[in-house]
Amino acid sequence: MGNNFLIWILIFCMFYTVSGEGCSLILKPSRVVVGFGESVTVNCEATRPVRVLGWESAISAVHTQEDRSVQWKVDSLIDWIEEPICYGVFFTAPRQCEEKLNLVLYKSPDSISIRQTNHTGPMVEGKEYQLLCEVQNIAPVQYLTLRWYRGQTEVYQHSFSDLTSSSPVQVSSTLVITPTKAENNADYKCVAELELGPEGPQPPPTLASEPLTVSIYFPPTFLSPETEELDFTAGAEITFNCTATGNPEPVYSWQSSHLTEEQMKAEAVITSSSLLPGTYTCTASNMLEKKSKQFIIKEKIKGV
């Protein structure tokens, strides 16, 4: 029984297939990055005398006898599940050996777009919103990085390295923002980038969405919000500047017992030489809020 067991071990070793560091095959190149529909050529070389050397492949199988080199070639690679393997049958142990080609077949996306989710129209300062970036038909998705930009500044990036699909897929990324008035009319965009390594095209293939311009509504803010006091001089021209920023554009109203109907017109700035001492209140308002500011004309005290 001991001799039979020894013979079984010898037969197993004779036909056992070796791969990796113990293999006598070299692929040139060992990693290939190919665009969908492009041609590809890889050589497999044996480092010792070989009985049979060949490529196991779904679309371009080939083999040769006793030659130490064999080529795998495809004029237009479109098979997403292709996994070519070079194999060798040798005269000496290890008798069989194989090396799998590290093949990456890639495709740039058909399209990329960006939009708001669950909301249309202008945003309101301080509220939370979501932007959605959608990428159509990209492969392999595990090499994809989606980069979000506000203007020229990158604000977020989304990697898909945890996915494993080799064929084209549709993916999306969500950006949560809480806009401020400083971001009014800012352009957002997302950029799809396939980072395929040093064997891939340089720079990496990219495709950017059309920019999404966001309009931010915010309440009126006075350029100078403090109460202003002015001294009264008969016949002297006085200017009240109630200018405020806001979106939508603020509208103005004035209240005072000393203003005539003509002087109470809805303007941010009033200039007059007939204003009397007293308190004048300006209100700037839009759909979000009303804010007021006071101007006080003080009558000079005699003898002062």
Side-chain angles (χ1 to χ4, degrees):
M1 179 176 177
N3 290 336
N4 290 338
F5 180 76
L6 181 59
I7 293 172
W8 183 86
I9 291 294
L10 291 173
I11 293 174
F12 177 81
C13 292
M14 181 180 297
F15 292 100
Y16 178 73
T17 299
V18 176
S19 61
E21 293 183 359
C23 187
S24 302
L25 301 176
I26 299 175
L27 303 184
K28 295 182 178 179
S30 60
R31 183 176 188 265
V32 181
V33 178
V34 187
F36 183 77
E38 294 179 356
S39 63
V40 58
T41 301
V42 180
N43 288 319
C44 178
E45 299 179 359
T47 59
R48 57 192 175 100
V50 63
R51 185 187 301 275
V52 178
L53 185 64
W55 283 95
E56 179 183 324
S57 170
I59 57 175
S60 188
V62 64
H63 74 275
T64 182
Q65 293 187 342
E66 300 193 12
D67 288 340
R68 288 200 183 186
S69 178
V70 64
Q71 187 179 81
W72 180 72
K73 182 177 181 181
V74 179
D75 293 330
S76 178
L77 187 59
I78 57 174
D79 187 347
W80 293 105
I81 60 173
E82 179 61 62
E83 294 184 336
I85 297 174
C86 179
Y87 63 88
V89 180
F90 297 90
F91 294 102
T92 57
R95 299 283 184 161
Q96 293 189 21
C97 179
E98 68 177 33
E99 283 288 346
K100 181 180 176 180
L101 175 64
N102 186 348
L103 174 64
V104 178
L105 178 60
Y106 76 90
K107 178 186 176 299
S108 295
D110 290 341
S111 64
I112 180 171
S113 60
I114 181 176
R115 60 183 175 89
Q116 296 185 48
T117 62
N118 303 320
H119 178 78
T120 58
M123 304 176 181
V124 176
E125 179 184 34
K127 290 190 175 182
E128 187 175 278
Y129 298 90
Q130 292 185 350
L131 304 181
L132 180 68
C133 178
E134 295 176 301
V135 182
Q136 304 288 338
N137 293 330
I138 189 168
V141 68
Q142 57 265 37
Y143 294 101
L144 170 65
T145 299
L146 275 181
R147 303 182 186 276
W148 284 89
Y149 291 88
R150 182 178 63 242
Q152 300 300 315
T153 303
E154 183 177 331
V155 294
Y156 178 63
Q157 62 174 259
H158 186 169
S159 171
F160 297 84
S161 57
D162 56 329
L163 302 180
T164 57
S165 176
S166 60
S167 57
V169 295
Q170 173 181 331
V171 293
S172 63
S173 174
T174 299
L175 177 69
V176 178
I177 63 172
T178 305
T180 66
K181 63 182 180 181
E183 297 164 22
N184 185 37
N185 294 323
D187 287 335
Y188 283 86
K189 68 177 179 180
C190 57
V191 178
E193 181 175 300
L194 275 176
E195 299 174 325
L196 299 163
E199 298 86 0
Q202 302 297 328
T206 60
L207 183 65
S209 69
E210 290 294 325
L212 174 68
T213 303
V214 296
S215 177
I216 311 301
Y217 279 179
F218 54 94
T221 302
F222 292 112
L223 300 182
S224 176
E226 299 82 9
T227 297
E228 295 186 26
E229 295 185 354
L230 303 94
D231 290 329
F232 174 75
T233 302
E237 191 173 78
I238 291 178
T239 297
F240 294 156
N241 188 346
C242 185
T243 301
T245 60
N247 192 24
E249 190 74 22
V251 294
Y252 300 91
S253 61
W254 292 85
Q255 293 83 36
S256 175
S257 59
H258 303 295
L259 285 173
T260 65
E261 185 175 342
E262 173 64 21
Q263 291 169 330
M264 292 178 70
K265 55 190 177 182
E267 293 182 357
V269 180
I270 290 179
T271 300
S272 176
S273 58
S274 60
L275 296 174
L276 299 176
T279 299
Y280 299 79
T281 301
C282 169
T283 299
S285 60
N286 62 15
M287 62 181 295
L288 299 178
E289 195 174 334
K290 292 182 178 181
K291 289 188 177 178
S292 296
K293 172 181 177 175
Q294 288 189 333
F295 298 84
I296 300 174
I297 299 179
K298 298 172 63 177
E299 190 169 8
K300 290 185 177 180
I301 301 175
K302 293 181 180 181
V304 177

